Amino acid sequence: MAETEASSGGCPFPHLKAQAQQQGTEREGQKENGNDETNMQAFSGVQRSGVDIAEVDDNPTLQEYRKIKRTMGIVTQFYKDGTELKKGHYEQVSEDIKRLDSDVEMLDEQNKALDDPSFIDHPKKKSYRNDLAEEKQRLLEQRELLTKKQGEYKELYEWSQGINRVCDWLEVSLDEYCCFTIGLPLRKDVKPAPDLDDATKVKYSEGLDEIHHNLEESQDFFSASVDGRLHKYHTIEKSIIEAQLEVVRKYPESSERRQYIEAELLKDLEFVSGNMVATPDGQKRREKMMSAHADFFKVLDYFKKKLTLLPEVDSSERTYDPKFDIWFDGTKKI
């Protein structure tokens, strides 16, 4: 039975999700974790194989198949790790909305308690009514902002799940092709890849282009972190935050707005300051990731141009704008 978008839970690949993606991917790329080290250990083993994927034709040897398989496996895990991170972002903001709804519920109960006929026209009742009305307005405004952010995180999470399905399908299809079409002696449990209807094939082809574009953004991050652009980017970001803090701190500490904004700015400052800490191990890891991306692009091109498992789609309108090139006067880049 052909797999369709409806049967697989939907797999949208909207292009140019700039604002939402910038909030999500930028922090993911900048926040290194243990998974990076695991992926790099796996990639080091792949590099030692001596196989250049760009030179492999549509009749790969067993050694060439293993290089392609392991490299694609690293790409797949890269996106699955990202999916878990996006899921965490979505779940966290959803919990924040629940807590806020609970606050609104409490506020409404307080308001209802003021309906007692014996309280009529008492000045304290009027004072509480006004305070509760102002507080509810603030809470509803906060909820509106959180709901917008929740929608952005949900879109990114669903996008990421769709990319995972594309990666999984490509891996299974590689096994099927190498085992059943050209007869490589693979493991015994190889199963045919799910059949896709024409519409889903187009979606998966768009997904393959999305992966390529997304890896270009990732590559630019690691390139910028090695050549110094990222440090300059973070230096300017840190100065912006500190300038905002300087203004906010001119106002009384008792100001609720100052308390809220200052706390948010301090979180941003802590985050960017952490990203500016350079270590020799971190630098080596970034350099390895730059090398890894070269093979990532080769393996994607192999699926697209050598195996031609998916139809060509027009991606001419897809543009790429590196995030870490900053223009000051329209002519000069740092």
Side-chain angles (χ1 to χ4, degrees), residues 186-327:
L186 307 184
R187 61 186 189 278
K188 294 181 180 180
D189 61 343
V190 173
K191 297 179 181 178
D195 289 331
L196 307 179
D197 62 22
D198 290 343
T200 305
K201 285 181 180 179
V202 170
K203 284 292 184 183
Y204 276 35
S205 186
E206 291 174 349
L208 185 54
D209 281 349
E210 280 285 324
I211 296 170
H212 197 286
H213 178 78
N214 190 252
L215 286 174
E216 282 183 316
E217 294 178 331
S218 174
Q219 183 185 49
D220 183 65
F221 164 76
F222 288 109
S223 175
S225 68
V226 170
D227 65 26
R229 283 179 296 139
L230 183 61
H231 184 76
K232 292 178 181 178
Y233 176 91
H234 283 150
T235 299
I236 295 172
E237 184 177 349
K238 183 171 181 283
S239 296
I240 291 171
I241 297 168
E242 289 172 339
Q244 290 290 301
L245 275 170
E246 184 178 352
V247 172
V248 169
R249 285 171 172 169
K250 292 178 180 179
Y251 291 83
E253 293 185 15
S254 58
S255 165
E256 290 185 9
R257 186 178 187 277
R258 169 182 166 168
Q259 294 170 13
Y260 174 75
I261 298 298
E262 186 175 20
E264 292 299 307
L265 289 171
L266 287 172
K267 289 178 187 177
D268 289 344
L269 184 62
E270 181 183 10
F271 182 82
V272 72
S273 298
N275 280 325
M276 294 177 71
V277 177
T279 64
D281 287 345
Q283 189 73 357
K284 288 180 181 178
R285 185 160 55 247
R286 295 184 184 106
E287 290 171 357
K288 286 182 179 179
M289 281 301 295
M290 283 184 62
S291 178
H293 276 69
D295 263 1
F296 294 164
F297 291 126
K298 288 178 183 179
V299 80
L300 295 178
D301 285 342
Y302 184 79
F303 280 107
K304 187 172 184 178
K305 299 175 181 178
K306 301 289 181 64
L307 294 190
T308 60
L309 299 172
L310 297 168
E312 283 285 339
V313 294
D314 182 13
S315 58
S316 59
E317 295 184 2
R318 190 60 155 141
T319 58
Y320 170 55
D321 181 21
K323 290 184 175 65
F324 302 105
D325 286 334
I326 302 175
W327 293 73

Side-chain angles (χ1 to χ4, degrees), residues 75-122:
V75 173
T76 299
Q77 191 59 50
F78 177 82
Y79 280 101
K80 288 186 175 180
D81 291 343
T83 298
E84 287 303 306
L85 194 59
K86 293 175 178 67
K87 180 183 179 184
H89 291 158
Y90 173 69
E91 290 178 343
Q92 180 59 58
V93 76
S94 297
E95 286 298 316
D96 291 342
I97 291 174
K98 284 183 180 179
R99 284 194 290 270
L100 198 148
D101 286 343
S102 178
D103 289 343
V104 172
E105 182 181 353
M106 183 198 308
L107 188 151
D108 287 339
E109 287 288 329
Q110 287 180 261
N111 235 330
K112 188 176 180 180
L114 295 174
D115 291 337
D116 190 310
S118 64
F119 300 157
I120 191 169
D121 293 333
H122 195 287

Side-chain angles (χ1 to χ4, degrees), residues 153-164:
Y153 286 154
K154 184 173 186 289
E155 181 186 3
L156 280 171
Y157 178 45
E158 290 175 347
W159 172 85
S160 191
Q161 288 177 304
I163 292 297
N164 290 344

